[in-house]
C-alpha cells in the first residue's frame, strides 16, 4: 500500500515537471526527428526527448526538420513545420 502511494505521488510530480518543462519550450524552434503517425498527426522527438505532434501532410517518417513548438498537446507539444 505504501509503495503504491509513493509511486502515485512520484508519478504526479514527474508529470507536473514534464508539463512545466514543455511549457518553457513553447515558442522555441527545435529540430525534430519524425518517426510515427498517431491519431492523424506525425509524431517525432526533439534532441531532448520532447514528443512533438504536427500536420502529417507536411512531413514523413525519417524527416529531421525545424519545428516551432506552439502549444501543449496530449503528452507533448504541437509544432509548426518551418520551411
Amino acid at each position: 500500500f505504501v509503495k503504491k502511494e509513493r509511486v502515485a505521488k512520484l508519478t504526479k510530480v514527474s508529470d507536473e515537471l514534464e508539463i512545466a518543462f514543455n511549457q518553457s519550450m513553447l515558442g522555441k524552434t527545435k529540430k525534430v526527428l519524425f518517426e510515427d503517425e498517431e491519431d492523424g498527426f506525425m509524431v517525432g522527438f526533439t534532441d531532448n526527448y520532447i514528443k512533438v505532434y504536427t500536420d502529417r501532410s507536411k512531413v514523413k517518417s525519417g524527416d529531421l526538420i525545424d519545428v516551432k513548438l506552439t502549444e501543449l498537446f496530449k503528452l507533448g507539444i504541437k509544432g509548426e513545420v518551418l520551411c
Side-chain angles (χ1 to χ4, degrees):
F1 178 72
V2 173
K3 183 178 177 183
K4 285 184 181 183
E5 268 187 9
R6 237 183 273 151
V7 167
K9 286 179 184 178
L10 289 173
T11 299
K12 183 179 179 205
V13 169
S14 175
D15 290 347
E16 290 169 355
L17 289 172
E18 182 177 7
I19 289 168
F21 177 73
N22 286 349
Q23 284 178 322
S24 76
M25 298 302 291
L26 294 179
K28 296 184 179 176
T29 299
K30 299 289 284 179
K31 284 212 178 288
V32 177
L33 176 60
F34 288 95
E35 300 173 348
D36 296 309
E37 191 174 321
E38 182 181 304
D39 298 328
F41 293 93
M42 280 302 293
V43 179
F45 292 90
T46 66
D47 60 349
N48 51 350
Y49 304 105
I50 298 170
K51 191 172 190 178
V52 178
Y53 299 81
T54 198
D55 182 348
R56 70 177 178 187
S57 69
K58 298 189 178 189
V59 296
K60 63 186 183 305
S61 185
D63 285 350
L64 180 63
I65 298 177
D66 285 328
V67 176
K68 183 175 182 181
L69 306 177
T70 58
E71 66 179 285
L72 296 179
F73 183 73
K74 294 189 179 188
L75 299 175
I77 299 178
K78 274 189 183 176
E80 177 183 321
V81 173
L82 302 177
C83 296

